[in-house]
Amino acid sequence: MSQIALIDYGSGNVRSVSRALAAAAGSLGGTTLITLTDDPDVIRKADRIVLPGVGHFADCASGLRGRPGVVDAMTDAVRERGAPFLGVCVGMQLLADVGREDGDTEGLGWIPGSVEPLAPDDPQLPIPHMGWNELSIDHEHAVFSGLGASPHVYFTHSYVFSPGSAADVAASFSYGGNFAAAVARDNVVGTQFHPEKSQAVGIRLLANFLSWSP
């Protein structure tokens, strides 16, 4: 049995992420236990870890650090033991060194870079960016394989992750310029878009994550 720790720190999209993970696990067969938790012992022992997130970077960072022992347990599991990790939306942004929303807020620093305002070249494009956008796969990666010739995924955001190295950008999207849609480094991946809202493409991506052996 595989145990997935879905981090509970007050983020608003945990239920929909949990349902999507369950659907992805069901498509693979076998037995997967998805636990919504802020228990450091559960997190530290989990086979895989998923960090969701919606809203304001600083609020999410504060909420995460406000759960005693959670960041340390995540670090032990992911950085020390090598458990596969998926960050979703602000959960991806928190991988950065710093978020620029309403001043500078420290991130986890697991993938070097910063979270900056989304600034398309075309001022007519609305912010926040909401809705479906085509995903461009920049680097071959198991989590982003088999998504189809022109996969479309669902976004809702006003800020984007700007990694320090282009090698960490796994996928991108075009919205008055090219921006990171997903990042990947070692056993850590993150998506700016919402797999749980991206229908069949999102379920396939989550199934890929659940079967990924970095």
Side-chain angles (χ1 to χ4, degrees):
M1 181 176 65
S2 178
Q3 183 167 28
I4 314 302
L6 177 59
I7 306 299
D8 180 10
Y9 66 108
S11 174
N13 62 338
V14 289
R15 300 299 176 188
S16 57
V17 172
S18 180
R19 288 193 295 269
L21 283 167
S27 73
L28 295 172
T31 303
T32 301
L33 176 63
I34 301 162
T35 304
L36 179 61
T37 183
D38 64 356
D39 184 333
D41 289 337
V42 173
I43 295 167
R44 194 170 277 110
K45 297 173 184 176
D47 297 301
R48 298 172 192 272
I49 294 173
V50 177
L51 180 67
V54 293
H56 193 282
F57 184 101
D59 289 345
C60 288
S62 176
L64 185 61
R65 292 192 168 99
R67 301 293 173 111
V70 166
V71 171
D72 286 343
M74 287 170 48
T75 302
D76 288 346
V78 178
R79 306 283 280 177
E80 301 299 327
R81 184 164 54 82
F85 174 95
L86 171 65
V88 175
C89 196
V90 181
M92 165 202 173
Q93 294 179 359
L94 288 170
L95 295 169
D97 295 313
V98 63
R100 307 289 190 197
E101 192 170 0
D102 294 335
D104 289 0
T105 301
E106 184 181 0
L108 293 170
W110 290 1
I111 295 181
S114 60
V115 177
E116 307 286 349
L118 175 60
D121 293 337
D122 183 353
Q124 301 299 314
L125 290 172
I127 302 295
H129 169 219
M130 297 180 65
W132 295 87
N133 222 111
E134 185 173 351
L135 190 66
S136 175
I137 307 301
D138 293 350
H139 301 293
E140 185 175 338
H141 193 285
V143 173
F144 304 99
S145 68
L147 302 184
S150 57
H152 282 69
V153 291
Y154 190 85
F155 291 83
T156 174
H157 63 119
S158 301
Y159 285 76
V160 289
F161 191 164
S162 178
S165 171
D168 292 329
V169 179
S172 57
F173 70 99
S174 178
Y175 192 71
N178 288 322
F179 303 95
V183 295
R185 175 181 279 211
D186 301 326
N187 57 315
V188 172
V189 297
T191 66
Q192 180 60 68
F193 57 90
H194 289 270
E196 77 279 12
K197 296 181 179 180
S198 298
Q199 300 181 1
V201 170
I203 297 301
R204 174 59 189 264
L205 185 149
L206 292 174
N208 288 344
F209 170 72
L210 293 178
S211 58
W212 177 39
S213 297

